[in-house]
Amino acid sequence: MKKTEIAKLRLRNQRIAHKGFSRASEVVSWLGAVQAQDYNMAKWALGLRMSSATSASIEDEIDSGSIVRTHVMRPTWHFVPAADVRWLLDLTAPRIESAARSRQRVLELDAKTLNRTTKIIARALEGEVHLTRQELMAVIARKGILTNPQRGIHIMFKAELDGVVCNGKRRGKQFTYALMDERVPQSAPLPKDVACARLATRYFTSHGPATIRDFIWWSGLSPADAREGLNLVRSNLVSDEVEGHTYWWNPAETGPTRKSVHLLPAFDEFTVSYCDRTASVRPELMKDVTVGHAIFRPIVVVDGRVVGIWIRKFGKNGPEIDYTFFEDLTRSQHAMLLRAEKQYRAFETPLER
């Protein structure tokens, strides 16, 4: 297998070039989790993998509670299926909390204080009350606890990792928090080895071909837990050696790929979920593209290869798109680019500003 084949197969397995989902929750469940700190771009990450979607329809699913937005895995904001959020937090939160303790000590947030603030937050949100972070910090401040911005981040972080809060319904453009127990049904906990195996299955099926290093990066698991997960499911996968690295994927998802052009959002799983991105980014562009563009900027992808970046601007007639290309496109690729633009414009109707 060549690196170019890896990129094309990832397009298919990530359901970018092989669409078919009708609901955003199906996309999130297929991928396992979707990085979502750039909220509008993350919604487009779901929409481009669906047969038909708008930003508003995905917002409705998020507001309904079928998709949860919370801190999990590496950690950063992720969309997670409501049915999976509890076992994912059980699996990944202890490692995340351990990494956060040194910063919490600097901020003078000990376990006693954090447990107290989490209880205050829980009481404030009871009865399906949805409050912004600023509103919750005001409640905590009235109890005599300091809530500067950095402390506020870690206070909410702790409440999320404990499974007490998750996203609530958006209030206009403001994000709110809600009680997890009022948004997400209870579910039986999973044994750790079962959870590791389930996450490995999701990742290598939807993101493969990928290496164990890629899985460790994406999941935030310890190397030992990630390897255990892979070892438990490797009999259902196939592998190949490419440039000294072993790539794993689900053979059931192998299939033909057609030539394609896609407008991918910033932080899309196609780039951000791999430790090694050279399958999609030319080595000579790696320093500039990987750090400045392919992770943090929206990208143009032709047949699995990053060929440029794009930026959305608003004009009188809707969203306008400006491009910076790293190589020339052929006439047929330009035609496919126009179709990709059309899909994005349809998704953004009505406009989000």
Side-chain angles (χ1 to χ4, degrees):
M1 177 179 287
K2 298 179 180 179
K3 281 285 186 74
T4 54
E5 294 177 86
I6 290 173
K8 290 178 181 178
L9 193 51
R10 286 174 178 174
L11 279 179
R12 176 185 174 85
N13 292 346
Q14 286 212 18
R15 294 302 192 259
I16 297 169
H18 183 62
K19 308 178 194 301
F21 294 117
S22 59
R23 295 184 60 80
S25 55
E26 294 171 343
V27 179
V28 180
S29 182
W30 173 256
L31 293 171
V34 175
Q35 191 161 326
Q37 74 269 44
D38 188 325
Y39 186 72
N40 289 326
M41 284 282 104
K43 287 196 294 181
W44 172 231
L46 305 183
L48 71 88
R49 291 167 166 87
M50 297 167 64
S51 54
S52 178
T54 65
S55 179
S57 70
I58 292 176
E59 188 85 36
D60 288 343
E61 282 198 60
I62 297 167
D63 281 350
S64 76
S66 63
I67 298 169
V68 172
R69 183 172 180 261
T70 191
H71 281 88
V72 67
M73 301 203 311
R74 286 191 289 277
T76 187
W77 286 105
H78 277 85
F79 288 140
V80 182
D84 297 329
V85 65
R86 294 186 187 277
W87 66 261
L88 266 176
L89 281 172
D90 288 343
L91 179 62
T92 65
R95 185 171 170 83
I96 297 170
E97 286 185 317
S98 178
R101 286 192 188 110
S102 61
R103 181 57 180 162
Q104 289 168 357
R105 284 194 291 270
V106 171
L107 296 170
E108 298 181 345
L109 285 170
D110 56 21
K112 182 178 179 180
T113 301
L114 288 170
N115 288 335
R116 184 184 174 201
T117 56
T118 297
K119 290 178 181 177
I120 294 170
I121 291 167
R123 285 195 295 271
L125 296 175
E126 284 179 353
E128 299 188 358
V129 175
H130 296 192
L131 298 176
T132 67
R133 180 194 292 173
Q134 290 77 12
E135 290 167 340
L136 287 168
M137 291 305 103
V139 173
I140 292 170
R142 288 196 290 271
K143 301 293 184 179
I145 300 173
L146 181 63
T147 59
N148 62 46
Q150 282 298 309
R151 281 170 66 96
I153 289 170
H154 280 266
I155 287 169
M156 295 310 306
F157 197 40
K158 172 64 174 174
E160 289 179 86
L161 294 177
D162 283 353
V164 173
V165 303
C166 62
N167 68 293
K169 294 181 180 181
R170 279 223 291 179
R171 191 191 304 159
K173 293 185 178 181
Q174 288 187 303
F175 294 99
T176 70
Y177 289 88
L179 284 181
M180 178 87 77
D181 286 348
E182 294 181 347
R183 296 276 284 172
V184 179
Q186 292 289 340
S187 57
L190 294 181
K192 186 176 181 180
D193 60 337
V194 175
C196 288
R198 182 174 293 184
L199 194 59
T201 296
R202 295 275 180 91
Y203 180 75
F204 288 105
T205 298
S206 64
H207 290 71
T211 68
I212 184 63
R213 290 179 66 242
D214 293 329
F215 180 46
I216 292 168
W217 155 250
W218 178 81
S219 66
L221 295 178
S222 69
D225 287 343
R227 290 191 177 93
E228 180 182 23
L230 175 58
N231 287 334
L232 288 169
V233 303
R234 64 191 301 166
S235 62
N236 299 321
L237 306 173
V238 294
S239 64
D240 196 6
E241 294 288 327
V242 181
E243 298 180 5
H245 299 286
T246 303
Y247 287 80
W248 298 88
W249 70 97
N250 188 330
E253 297 304 321
T254 302
T257 56
R258 296 179 296 177
K259 292 185 179 298
S260 61
V261 176
H262 303 281
L263 297 184
L264 269 57
F267 301 102
D268 191 79
E269 291 291 304
F270 184 72
T271 51
V272 80
S273 60
Y274 304 100
C275 184
D276 178 1
R277 303 177 181 95
T278 55
S280 298
V281 183
R282 297 204 316 267
E284 63 269 27
L285 293 174
M286 182 60 67
K287 182 178 179 181
D288 183 25
V289 175
T290 300
V291 175
H293 300 155
I295 298 178
F296 304 116
R297 303 274 296 275
I299 54 174
V300 182
V301 175
V302 174
D303 299 334
R305 187 179 70 257
V306 176
V307 301
I309 59 174
W310 60 279
I311 184 171
R312 177 187 66 174
K313 296 181 179 180
F314 287 102
K316 293 180 179 179
N317 299 319
E320 298 175 354
I321 300 175
D322 287 344
Y323 296 100
T324 300
F325 290 106
F326 310 129
E327 58 186 71
D328 294 332
L329 270 60
T330 66
R331 182 177 298 179
S332 63
Q333 288 168 348
H334 270 293
M336 287 187 283
L337 178 65
L338 292 177
R339 289 196 291 271
E341 276 192 29
K342 184 177 180 180
Q343 182 191 7
Y344 176 70
R345 291 176 190 278
F347 176 80
E348 285 285 21
T349 304
L351 292 179
E352 290 189 356
R353 293 182 181 272

